[in-house]
Amino acid sequence: MPNVTIFLGFFIIAAAFAASAGAEVVHSTPRNQLKRRQPVTPLSPLPVFVPVLNWEQQAYVRAHNDFRRKVNTPPLAWSASLTASAHAWAMQRRGDCNYRQHSPNRQGENIYWMNYKEFTPTDVVQRWFTESNNYDHNANACKCGMEREGCECGHYLNVVWSSTTQVGCSGAVYCDNQKGVYVVCQYNPSGGTRGVNPFTGFEMTTTAQVGFSDLIAELEHDADDLISVHVL
């Protein structure tokens, strides 16, 4: 009896296999009208950034010069190379949006970060210029002592430094995964020359140099040379 059961099992399996082999696939659409699947097209690389003096770049230059006029320092000219460099660094930081990390070049540099794109170029530069409240213009020294987030002067000095002649800004760059919006501005020549009055370019007195020395490290791309705006 067991042999009969095994035989019947094999017979059923063989019959089912033969039936499936002879089956014909029926489709409601004629074969000649079926559409082939298109191959998956890989994402194209980001276009090469070409710096252009558009309305946004003009607004950054104009904002810098409006604030420089308040302290009687000469106007800045727009620089395509600085704009490209600032944009490249902002794009490099898109993944982590680390506004505390400065670029490795030796240009003057300010970084601005915000959760959302709710600012204009003037808002950005004005935020940096507001650090003038922390600066003692008589002693040419920062009132903060050891600078820290919330009490800084370095961004202000980058904006108004008298011997700086060029500026270029990245414009608003959106970070990945909605981590915020990033703006980098770079300056040439960079400020922070030891013993030099930021507003006149003249050598300062010994007393003023002592008060000014605390700013130099920040202007030389210290990690604290940034401004961050947090929207709660």
Side-chain angles (χ1 to χ4, degrees):
M1 190 68 178
N3 293 335
V4 173
T5 302
I6 294 172
F7 174 78
L8 289 175
F10 277 118
F11 179 78
I12 292 172
I13 293 172
F17 180 78
S20 63
E24 182 178 355
V25 177
V26 178
H27 199 286
S28 59
T29 304
R31 184 182 296 274
N32 61 356
Q33 296 182 20
L34 292 175
K35 295 182 178 179
R36 291 182 177 274
R37 290 184 178 181
Q38 297 296 325
V40 177
T41 304
L43 294 176
S44 57
L46 292 173
V48 176
F49 176 75
V50 178
V52 177
L53 187 57
N54 56 20
W55 70 267
E56 186 178 28
Q57 293 296 324
Q58 292 178 36
Y60 274 108
V61 175
R62 183 167 54 250
H64 276 86
N65 289 337
D66 286 345
F67 288 111
R68 287 172 69 88
R69 195 176 299 114
K70 294 178 181 293
V71 295
N72 298 315
T73 52
L76 302 178
W78 179 73
S79 167
S81 60
L82 289 177
T83 300
S85 176
H87 184 268
W89 183 246
M91 292 297 289
Q92 188 169 333
R93 297 259 63 92
R94 280 182 62 192
D96 57 17
C97 209
N98 185 359
Y99 55 84
R100 297 182 180 276
Q101 181 65 49
H102 277 279
S103 62
N105 69 41
R106 304 308 300 171
Q107 309 291 352
E109 184 173 274
N110 283 348
I111 296 176
Y112 180 96
W113 173 87
M114 195 173 186
N115 276 330
Y116 304 102
K117 176 64 171 69
E118 296 178 348
F119 55 83
T120 65
T122 298
D123 293 333
V124 174
V125 183
Q126 183 173 26
R127 182 70 190 209
W128 294 331
F129 188 84
T130 301
E131 291 181 2
S132 61
N133 296 326
N134 303 326
Y135 193 77
D136 186 336
H137 292 81
N138 293 320
N140 276 319
C142 191
K143 301 174 185 177
C144 302
M146 183 62 70
E147 295 194 11
R148 58 197 180 278
E149 187 169 341
C151 190
E152 302 172 274
C153 302
H155 303 93
Y156 165 61
L157 293 180
N158 274 335
V159 170
V160 302
W161 198 272
S162 62
S163 61
T164 297
T165 60
Q166 296 178 315
V167 65
C169 299
S170 65
V173 172
Y174 288 83
C175 299
D176 296 340
N177 301 317
Q178 299 182 344
K179 292 180 181 178
V181 187
Y182 202 79
V183 177
V184 179
C185 287
Q186 294 184 353
Y187 306 87
N188 184 60
S190 60
T193 305
R194 294 180 185 275
V196 173
N197 185 308
F199 308 98
T200 65
F202 298 143
E203 185 175 350
M204 295 191 297
T205 64
T206 303
T207 302
Q209 288 186 41
V210 172
F212 183 73
S213 61
D214 291 337
L215 293 172
I216 300 302
E218 189 210 12
L219 286 174
E220 292 176 344
H221 285 191
D222 183 84
D224 291 332
D225 181 18
L226 53 90
I227 184 70
S228 58
V229 180
H230 300 271
V231 179
L232 303 179

